[in-house]
Amino acid sequence: MGQAGHARQILERITPGGRLLGIDRDPAAVQAALVALASFEPAVTVVQGRFSDLVDIAQKAGFDPADLVLFDFGISSTQLDAPERGFSFRGEGLLDMRMDQGAELTAERIVNHFDAAEIERILRTYGEERWARRIAQFIVARRPLRTTRDLAQAVEAAIPRKAWPRDIHVATRTFQGLRIAVNEELDEIEAGLKAALTILKPGGRMATISFHSLEDRMVKSFFNVESKDCICPPQQPVCTCGHRATLQIVTRRPVRPSEAEVAANPRARSARLRVAQKL
Ligand SMILES: C[S@@+](CC[C@H](N)C(=O)[O-])C[C@H]1O[C@@H](n2cnc3c(N)ncnc32)[C@H](O)[C@@H]1O
């Protein structure tokens, strides 16, 4: 649901007659969407919940089966731009990074209580950060870290200035890695894609918008596996997996924003849209 931008566009096209269920794990996004979309009542239902609970939420709300499931992964501009949510190295806020502030794990807990090896793993796996080991060592040496600025300064000190990336802030990957870990984002995506497959009607479509390669790779590999009749290793002469294709890929290559769209909305620059149709 996020800031309800897609929801509004979809509702304008499917009403009257169609219905939309929006979900977000962030209660603030749910409240804002209820207000923003009030004029579409009763065609719109908004529920606080996670991708991994999609089957349950859709069944309870009367959206199983569904014609279309759209995922727009990651964090919203509202979350990113609120310093107190702790997602951004710009501005100063506590190290929170929870999309759902009812959840237990925070970024503060990871940086101040996890051991260096675990922090390194998080930054390497979820942030794809080459300097993960050094950053983890600097974080541990500077404990306790309280704010996003403390964290950004630890990263700045850990990476030699001549190795700072040119196109992104030096702390971007660290913040991404922690955020993904705090919110278990990759597990959520996997569970969400499976859930979407369960609730879609035959001929229905799922669409995903990813913002970084980890997300996009998960979708690509899910679509690849689910569009094949056999997923046995290629060297195996006879199929033993019994796997049957459930999806047909609609977008062989991900759809990327046009130059005009990026000019109008620079945050769209790394977005990748993929679509698949249920068989
Ligand atoms: C990029 S924003 C969506 C923006 C939206 N499409 C719009 O048009 O405004 C992503 C939203 O997904 C939510 N989110 C991320 N992971 C989630 C999950 N596992 N379950 C439910 N919501 C999630 C975030 O809280 C955030 O509000």
Side-chain angles (χ1 to χ4, degrees):
M1 182 50 84
Q3 294 152 286
H6 289 110
R8 175 177 293 279
Q9 292 293 324
I10 294 170
L11 279 161
E12 280 171 2
R13 288 162 177 78
I14 65 169
T15 51
R19 294 184 303 134
L20 179 136
L21 166 66
I23 77 166
D24 203 297
R25 65 196 292 185
D26 183 344
V30 169
Q31 285 315 315
L34 284 170
V35 174
L37 302 176
S39 62
F40 291 100
E41 295 267 9
V44 59
T45 307
V46 188
V47 175
Q48 193 224 334
R50 296 171 162 224
F51 300 156
S52 51
D53 292 327
L54 180 60
V55 172
D56 195 41
I57 295 171
Q59 283 173 352
K60 286 200 178 114
F63 284 80
D64 178 14
D67 298 297
L68 169 71
V69 179
L70 168 66
F71 291 102
D72 188 6
F73 301 128
I75 50 173
S76 68
S77 292
T78 312
Q79 292 164 333
L80 186 64
D81 294 338
E84 71 278 8
R85 301 291 300 262
F87 288 109
S88 176
F89 34 78
R90 298 180 218 287
E92 187 164 31
L94 293 178
L95 286 163
D96 189 324
M97 299 198 195
R98 289 171 298 175
M99 291 179 188
D100 168 7
Q101 288 167 314
E104 266 183 30
L105 184 62
T106 62
E108 189 279 330
R109 169 124 206 108
I110 296 178
V111 299
N112 289 324
H113 299 279
F114 284 22
D115 64 31
E118 183 59 8
I119 296 174
E120 177 188 341
R121 189 192 67 79
I122 287 170
L123 302 187
R124 199 178 299 288
T125 317
Y126 301 140
E128 299 187 289
E129 173 57 71
R130 285 194 303 127
W131 295 88
R133 176 163 303 166
R134 241 176 98 82
I135 297 170
Q137 286 164 350
F138 273 65
I139 286 175
V140 170
R142 289 172 170 233
R143 284 172 176 175
L145 273 58
R146 292 285 165 235
T147 68
T148 48
R149 187 151 297 151
D150 295 343
L151 177 60
Q153 283 171 351
V155 179
E156 287 169 5
I159 306 182
R161 200 167 257 275
K162 60 180 183 320
W164 286 19
R166 275 196 218 130
D167 47 343
I168 53 172
H169 188 282
V170 63
T172 302
R173 293 176 185 282
T174 296
F175 275 69
Q176 175 189 303
L178 288 169
R179 191 201 92 201
I180 290 177
V182 165
N183 297 290
E184 300 170 307
E185 288 180 45
L186 300 186
D187 291 346
E188 279 291 318
I189 291 176
E190 183 163 16
L193 294 170
K194 285 185 184 152
L197 197 52
T198 306
I199 62 168
L200 272 181
K201 55 173 73 148
R205 290 184 168 192
M206 67 171 99
T208 63
I209 303 174
S210 308
F211 283 86
H212 54 76
S213 52
L214 289 173
E215 291 172 345
D216 191 51
R217 239 179 276 150
M218 289 198 70
V219 176
K220 187 177 169 189
S221 120
F222 182 82
F223 282 8
N224 279 343
V225 168
E226 289 307 326
S227 60
K228 287 199 179 100
D229 267 340
C230 166
I231 51 171
C232 291
Q235 65 273 22
Q236 199 171 298
V238 182
C239 171
T240 52
C241 69
H243 189 266
R244 286 288 160 262
T246 51
L247 283 179
Q248 183 184 358
I249 297 174
V250 176
T251 48
R252 271 285 146 208
R253 288 165 190 279
V255 179
R256 302 177 59 174
S258 63
E259 272 177 33
E261 183 168 2
V262 175
N265 176 16
R267 284 181 178 170
R269 70 184 179 281
S270 44
R272 303 273 180 281
L273 170 77
R274 292 184 187 270
V275 181
Q277 181 160 324
K278 183 159 168 180
L279 293 172

